[in-house]
Amino acid sequence: MQRVYNFSAGPSALPEEVLKKAQSELLCYGTSGMSVMELSHRSKDFIAIFESAESLLRELMRVPDNYKILFLQGGASSQFAMVPLNLMNKNKKADYVNTGTWSTKAIKEAKRYGTINVVASSEDKTFSYIPELDPSKFDKDADYFHITTNNTIYGTRYATLPDTGNVPLVADMSSDILSKPYDVSKFGLIYAGAQKNLGPAGVTVVIVREDLVGNAMEFTPTMFNYKVHIDSDGMYNTPPTFGIYIMGLVLQWVKEQGGVEALEKINNEKANTLYNFLDESSLFKSTVKGKDRSIMNIPFVTGNEELDAKFIKEATAAGFVQLKGHRSVGGMRASIYNATPLEAVQKLVEFMKKFEMENK
Ligand code: PMP
């Protein structure tokens, strides 16, 4: 069985080197005589895996010392509640920008805990752009300001981050963490599900500025309290051990590629390869324009649903899989995260050219 070109939005392609390394260590990790999956989370071997993953992430993202890193469970979706429960603790209000399905869900969840001011939305055009932000609409007394840096379904991303002054910026970075350098010091909190750029599903990374933690709402469930996890060095309960191990391998791989700056270069090249073709094509069209275009998720359409279905069917048969767009956008979407090689995008474009010729 041959491996395919996997364009899934998540869980998504992992670096082949990582999978091979995990395969070689699956039965016996180091000198432990057992699999990582069988190691106690309190064992010396696992603590070393845990600490190495944390320090690699700190190094790669240049996380300042006054930020804590947590490896939690529950996916980014749990953070939709955990963020307000822990951070909406002074004035019980927060600003949100609505740039897609995940922002909408984050807003809905946060509304359970306080007053949410939606400062801008791009819902009017199926979230195909990042709305202009008018700082006069920002609430200076908001406990935080929430954005989704990259919108997985709609293929948009912030070209520049909003300046929120003293109001902590909180970001759902699930689909573009480690794809390009972000200045962590500009954020109060960053969260991301691992299953795109970091590793397998099951680990959720949270990077939080220390001074924001410690005032969770009184009724916050213990497991939803950042302070509980920080105070127990991430071992309040059993962390997702195998996922953290794979994430550590992915982070090591990122370092070997030259770090986030090097990956950004390749990611731009990958995205430009596809966008340049889409902009010239007489059949396929990109659904997003200009600076808002994501370099991770690229939706495109032919404008004809039957032709879209034919393309997806033929692409799948040719080994280009998971190209079906999200149902709210239709058409196709190529997710090209860090682990997708340039070659996969080049081959996809070749295939699209051929399809275009055959379906004029
Ligand atoms: N935010 C974004 C930007 C996402 O892409 C996703 C998942 N695709 C989520 C949140 C939800 O993540 P999870 O499934 O880990 O809860």
Side-chain angles (χ1 to χ4, degrees):
M1 183 78 200
Q2 242 203 319
R3 279 175 61 77
V4 292
Y5 291 117
N6 180 3
F7 295 96
S8 169
S12 41
L14 284 166
E16 215 165 285
E17 296 93 314
V18 166
L19 296 174
K20 285 187 176 145
K21 172 105 172 134
Q23 185 182 39
S24 76
E25 294 180 333
L26 190 72
L27 215 52
C28 281
Y29 178 77
T31 55
S32 70
M34 61 180 86
S35 171
V36 171
M37 279 183 272
E38 301 169 302
L39 286 174
S40 158
H41 59 297
R42 303 198 188 272
S43 66
K44 217 167 79 243
D45 281 316
F46 183 72
I47 301 272
I49 290 171
F50 189 94
E51 287 177 351
S52 151
E54 192 202 317
S55 82
L56 274 167
L57 186 61
R58 199 172 277 281
E59 178 187 336
L60 291 166
M61 289 187 75
R62 298 198 180 88
V63 178
D65 289 344
N66 62 326
Y67 285 70
K68 296 285 186 194
I69 296 179
L70 295 171
F71 301 143
L72 305 177
Q73 304 194 45
S77 301
S78 288
Q79 295 307 309
F80 298 164
M82 207 161 166
V83 165
L85 281 167
N86 285 265
L87 265 49
M88 205 154 49
N89 51 19
K90 284 196 202 90
N91 299 319
K92 301 272 183 282
K93 43 187 193 169
D95 282 354
Y96 276 69
V97 184
N98 191 2
T99 51
T101 303
W102 302 112
S103 305
T104 304
K105 288 194 169 164
I107 290 164
K108 188 169 173 223
E109 194 67 20
K111 278 185 174 165
R112 297 159 62 96
Y113 306 109
T115 307
I116 302 306
N117 170 34
V118 179
V119 298
S121 167
S122 49
E123 194 172 6
D124 60 337
K125 290 185 182 152
T126 329
F127 298 113
S128 59
Y129 68 103
I130 297 289
E132 282 297 323
L133 299 181
D134 173 2
S136 74
K137 294 207 174 127
F138 297 6
D139 184 347
K140 296 211 168 31
D141 294 327
D143 288 331
Y144 62 89
F145 188 109
H146 182 283
I147 59 168
T148 313
T149 49
N150 183 81
N151 297 281
T152 323
I153 294 173
Y154 304 95
T156 63
R157 62 93 191 252
Y158 285 78
T160 49
L161 293 173
D163 180 358
T164 58
N166 289 329
V167 175
L169 182 61
V170 171
D172 176 355
M173 224 178 251
S174 293
S175 51
D176 73 339
I177 190 165
L178 288 183
S179 69
K180 59 173 187 167
Y182 273 111
D183 180 353
V184 175
S185 74
K186 293 233 161 26
F187 298 86
L189 186 146
I190 291 167
Y191 63 91
Q195 65 271 26
K196 297 148 200 319
N197 267 342
L198 293 168
V203 188
T204 312
V205 167
V206 174
I207 304 172
V208 59
R209 216 175 67 207
E210 262 167 359
D211 64 288
L212 297 175
V213 172
N215 288 305
M217 291 179 193
E218 200 191 325
F219 51 81
T220 302
T222 307
M223 275 294 287
F224 269 44
N225 191 325
Y226 295 128
K227 181 123 191 348
V228 167
H229 294 282
I230 289 170
D231 286 350
S232 48
D233 294 324
M235 297 283 169
Y236 172 73
N237 74 324
T238 317
T241 54
F242 193 71
I244 292 170
Y245 157 72
I246 299 286
M247 184 172 67
L249 296 183
V250 171
L251 295 170
Q252 186 58 44
W253 176 85
V254 172
K255 189 171 170 175
E256 283 157 16
Q257 304 310 299
V260 180
E261 285 79 6
L263 282 177
E264 182 191 27
K265 257 181 143 173
I266 305 170
N267 287 334
N268 279 330
E269 196 179 343
K270 276 152 50 182
N272 286 336
T273 301
L274 189 46
Y275 283 126
N276 289 344
F277 167 68
L278 290 171
D279 288 344
E280 284 165 14
S281 170
S282 55
L283 179 63
F284 297 102
K285 275 163 214 55
S286 160
T287 58
V288 180
K289 292 194 175 57
K291 66 176 185 4
D292 299 342
R293 283 176 164 179
S294 167
I295 58 168
M296 295 279 98
N297 311 96
I298 306 187
F300 54 94
V301 294
T302 65
N304 173 332
E305 276 181 33
E306 268 172 42
L307 212 49
D308 287 349
K310 182 167 186 254
F311 173 77
I312 291 161
K313 193 166 167 225
E314 291 181 16
T316 306
F320 303 96
V321 311
Q322 298 287 341
L323 279 166
K324 195 171 182 342
H326 190 268
R327 59 192 177 280
S328 59
V329 183
M332 285 69 71
R333 169 180 50 172
S335 294
I336 50 172
Y337 299 116
N338 284 347
T340 304
L342 174 61
E343 185 211 327
V345 183
Q346 290 167 333
K347 289 267 162 63
L348 173 65
V349 167
E350 267 173 45
F351 180 82
M352 289 167 75
K353 280 184 182 159
K354 190 169 139 277
F355 185 88
E356 181 170 332
M357 291 285 286
E358 291 166 359
N359 291 276
K360 273 206 165 137

